[in-house]
Amino acid sequence: MGKSKRNSPKPGGNRAQRLAERRAALQEAETAVARPFEGLAAECDLVALREFVPSATAELALAPGVAAERPVVLATVLPGAVAALVRAADTPTGYIGVQVQAPTADPAADIAASILWAQSAEPGDSLAVAHAAPGGPALSDVIVADAALDLVVHQDFDWWVPEGVQPDPQIAATIEQAKEAIMPSDRLDLGPASIGAPWWVDAGEKAHLRWVRPESEDDLMLALARLHAAGGLHLGEGSRFAGSFRTHGLLVPVFDLDPDRHVSEWATPATEFGERLTEALAVDAPLTSEQRRSRDGLRSRQVTLR
């Protein structure tokens, strides 16, 4: 008896749909930009805003070659998770969302396209999905590449509605729901010599510090392994290294923190840890056997965000 041939997936069937979704996911992974915000002074904060900061805004410094008809504000998320909108006011202002409903493989190009759209859109218009054309302007062509973000961290979403404006019921209800769910967050101010973007969040039973770092993943992992083996991978009393996650080509160490301590109380321990990490990054000797074991253990506690 001959071997039966495997049936092809039935068009429109569940298996055909799953295979199509799998192909689409693989194609997206192949075209994804490994480190989309590389080369920008604000790279680490852009990654934080996109991945875990709930509510923050920053007016962008636009590149000299951009026809800046109106100011542009970068925001974590906009109503409806749209890519951009133009707020009608005496001076119309463009708002660009980082956390969007339809992300693509190149978020930096999408932000660039949204900024350019906001310069010519009519006040009151919104852009549901960014449409970055292949070969279009890079984000570094649209904003000042060496400018840091002058961030304003919010503990609610009241900024969605201009002062003195009565929001429509749907927006008002969304804002109230967000207020109930939002977790208090803040960026640690460690001074001008600080590297990366350290963000604190009060998650209730625990607080966390998520420190987006600009070093290569491999170099940072080796430095973390050296610190772990030496007993220095912590922020002092009331802290514990929880692991790290990988996103947008960067590694983000995460620490669990005592939630009863104010965010400002972690500035000195974080500064001291940053100094230890800088020293560890400068070491180029091969890892010892103990440090290799630390590295392997730390790698097992990584989570990759897509």
Side-chain angles (χ1 to χ4, degrees), residues 2-117:
K3 294 183 180 179
S4 60
K5 295 182 179 180
R6 186 177 181 180
N7 292 330
S8 299
K10 182 181 179 180
N14 291 335
R15 179 166 168 257
Q17 181 178 349
R18 290 196 301 271
L19 290 173
E21 291 172 351
R22 178 64 176 164
R23 281 195 297 269
L26 290 173
Q27 289 173 356
E28 182 176 352
E30 290 174 357
T31 59
V33 179
R35 193 168 169 177
F37 303 111
E38 187 175 12
L40 299 173
E43 177 185 19
C44 293
D45 277 312
L46 286 167
V47 170
L49 295 178
R50 181 169 173 81
E51 291 302 327
F52 55 79
V53 177
S55 183
T57 56
E59 184 167 347
L60 292 174
L62 300 184
V66 176
E69 301 295 330
R70 55 183 58 137
V72 174
V73 174
L74 191 74
T76 47
V77 65
L78 297 171
V82 298
L85 58 82
V86 177
R87 179 176 289 176
D90 293 337
T91 302
T93 300
Y95 280 76
I96 310 302
V98 182
Q99 300 171 24
V100 296
Q101 59 179 314
T104 72
D106 190 349
D110 293 342
I111 292 173
S114 296
I115 292 171
L116 297 177
W117 172 89

Side-chain angles (χ1 to χ4, degrees), residues 61-291:
L62 300 184
V66 176
E69 301 295 330
R70 55 183 58 137
V72 174
V73 174
L74 191 74
T76 47
V77 65
L78 297 171
V82 298
L85 58 82
V86 177
R87 179 176 289 176
D90 293 337
T91 302
T93 300
Y95 280 76
I96 310 302
V98 182
Q99 300 171 24
V100 296
Q101 59 179 314
T104 72
D106 190 349
D110 293 342
I111 292 173
S114 296
I115 292 171
L116 297 177
W117 172 89
Q119 289 301 315
S120 58
E122 292 294 323
D125 284 354
S126 64
L127 178 68
V129 180
H131 299 283
L139 186 54
S140 57
D141 298 326
V142 177
I143 66 173
V144 177
D146 59 358
L149 293 180
D150 186 10
L151 287 156
V152 178
V153 182
H154 307 273
Q155 305 306 332
D156 53 39
F157 290 94
D158 288 345
W159 56 269
W160 276 2
V161 181
E163 188 175 351
V165 174
Q166 183 66 33
D168 66 57
Q170 183 176 359
I171 293 294
T174 301
I175 291 175
E176 288 304 313
Q177 290 173 359
K179 282 183 179 179
E180 295 177 1
I182 197 170
M183 292 184 290
S185 301
D186 208 349
R187 192 188 191 284
L188 254 63
D189 183 5
L190 305 184
S194 174
I195 297 173
W199 282 86
W200 169 91
V201 60
D202 182 354
E205 293 185 2
K206 295 179 182 177
H208 307 289
L209 182 73
R210 300 159 175 160
W211 198 331
V212 188
R213 300 288 305 194
E215 297 87 4
S216 76
E217 293 184 45
D218 289 340
D219 290 346
L220 184 56
M221 179 53 66
L222 293 180
L224 293 175
R226 296 181 196 278
L227 289 181
H228 183 270
L233 188 54
H234 58 78
L235 299 182
E237 184 179 356
S239 74
R240 181 184 71 87
F241 181 73
S244 59
F245 58 83
R246 305 169 60 241
T247 183
H248 300 303
L250 299 181
L251 193 62
V252 185
V254 180
F255 298 86
D256 290 341
L257 306 176
D258 181 350
D260 292 332
R261 295 176 61 176
H262 189 268
V263 56
S264 61
E265 296 182 69
W266 295 106
T268 297
T271 298
E272 293 171 350
F273 169 75
E275 292 170 352
R276 294 197 301 273
L277 184 57
T278 297
E279 292 175 0
L281 284 162
V283 177
D284 59 4
L287 295 182
T288 66
S289 58
E290 184 179 1
Q291 290 169 345

